[in-house]
Amino acid sequence: GAGVSQSPSNKVTEKGKDVELRCDPISGHTALYWYRQSLGQGLEFLIYFQGNSAPDKSGLPSDRFSAERTGGSVSTLTIQRTQQEDSAVYLCASSRTGSINTEAFFGQGTRLTVV
Amino acid sequence: EDQVTQSPEALRLQEGESSSLNCSYTVSGLRGLFWYRQDPGKGPEFLFTLYSAGEEKEKERLKATLTKKESFLHITAPKPEDSATYLCAVRPTGNQFYFGTGTSLTVIP
């Protein structure tokens, strides 16, 4: 596709339920990032995928969060037993390569509200 | 600890009134500094990458510059459509971008 696509754009869920957020990166991009943006806060790194390498999960805030990337393309971020503090905008980005001087392109984000 | 600080937090300009936004950073081994624009309810939109001190990049009314300690985003004769939050990010060694909290720019007609 022309850009990074995320779905759903909005998700309201009840506390304690599980949610899945999807990211479809730019075609051919090997690197994929998940970030979280809370109101008034900066972007918080969650996880990084590069090609077939093991993901960097160092930013995941708890073991309720997990992510996978199938076939080096689409990624799914799963939050189990959601809590109110999980409410935020979840942003996915992709880069042409994993090189550290390569810019990342972001999707529109998924706004998650836990009630 | 790697840090990125942006100032001011908010800036209101009259249309046509030029100004600059600042991004200062303390990182070990800068490999790139990135500027993004974010409109409400949308994801960040890539603007520029700067790699080394002294480098400058321009796009329409925006010009980004880089020194060893900070970067400036100069806005010349801004228009209302330039209103947005401007984010800078650095990528030291490692797998993540470190973002500042942004400058919210409002340009008044």
Coordinates of all heavy atoms in Angstrom, one line a residue, chain B residues 13-16 78-81 83 106-109:
Chain B
L13 N 1.8 32.2 16.8 CA 2.3 33.1 15.8 C 1.3 33.8 15.0 O 0.3 33.1 14.7 CB 3.4 32.5 14.9 CG 4.6 31.8 15.5 CD1 5.4 31.1 14.5 CD2 5.5 32.9 16.2
Q14 N 1.4 35.0 14.6 CA 0.6 35.6 13.7 C 1.0 35.1 12.3 O 2.2 34.8 12.1 CB 0.7 37.1 13.7 CG 0.2 37.8 15.0 CD -1.4 37.7 15.0 OE1 -2.0 37.7 14.0 NE2 -1.9 37.7 16.2
E15 N 0.1 35.0 11.4 CA 0.5 34.6 10.0 C 1.5 35.5 9.5 O 1.4 36.8 9.6 CB -0.8 34.7 9.1 CG -0.5 34.2 7.7 CD -1.8 34.1 6.9 OE1 -2.9 34.4 7.5 OE2 -1.8 33.7 5.8
G16 N 2.6 34.9 8.9 CA 3.7 35.7 8.4 C 4.8 36.0 9.4 O 5.9 36.5 9.0
P78 N 4.9 31.8 8.3 CA 4.0 30.7 8.5 C 2.6 31.1 8.1 O 2.2 32.2 8.1 CB 4.1 30.4 10.0 CG 4.5 31.6 10.6 CD 5.4 32.3 9.7
K79 N 1.8 30.0 7.7 CA 0.4 30.1 7.3 C -0.4 29.3 8.3 O 0.2 28.4 9.0 CB 0.2 29.6 5.9 CG 1.0 30.4 4.8 CD 0.6 29.9 3.5 CE 1.3 30.8 2.4 NZ 1.0 30.3 1.0
P80 N -1.7 29.6 8.4 CA -2.5 28.8 9.3 C -2.4 27.3 9.2 O -2.5 26.5 10.1 CB -3.9 29.3 9.1 CG -3.7 30.7 8.6 CD -2.4 30.7 7.8
E81 N -2.2 26.9 7.9 CA -2.1 25.4 7.7 C -0.8 24.8 8.2 O -0.6 23.6 8.2 CB -2.2 25.1 6.2 CG -1.3 25.8 5.3 CD -1.9 27.1 4.6 OE1 -2.7 27.8 5.3 OE2 -1.7 27.3 3.4
S83 N -0.1 25.1 11.3 CA -0.5 24.8 12.7 C -0.5 23.2 12.9 O -1.2 22.5 12.1 CB -1.9 25.3 13.0 OG -1.8 26.7 13.0
T106 N 0.6 27.1 16.8 CA -0.7 27.7 16.3 C -0.4 29.0 15.5 O 0.3 29.9 16.0 CB -1.7 28.0 17.4 OG1 -1.9 26.9 18.2 CG2 -3.0 28.6 16.9
V107 N -0.8 29.0 14.3 CA -0.6 30.2 13.4 C -2.0 30.9 13.2 O -2.9 30.3 12.7 CB 0.0 29.8 12.1 CG1 0.2 31.1 11.2 CG2 1.3 29.1 12.3
I108 N -2.1 32.1 13.7 CA -3.3 32.8 13.7 C -3.4 33.7 12.4 O -2.5 34.4 12.1 CB -3.4 33.7 14.9 CG1 -3.2 32.9 16.2 CG2 -4.7 34.5 15.0 CD1 -2.8 33.7 17.4
P109 N -4.6 33.6 11.7 CA -4.7 34.3 10.4 C -4.7 35.8 10.7 O -5.2 36.3 11.7 CB -6.1 33.9 9.9 CG -6.4 32.7 10.7 CD -5.7 32.7 12.0

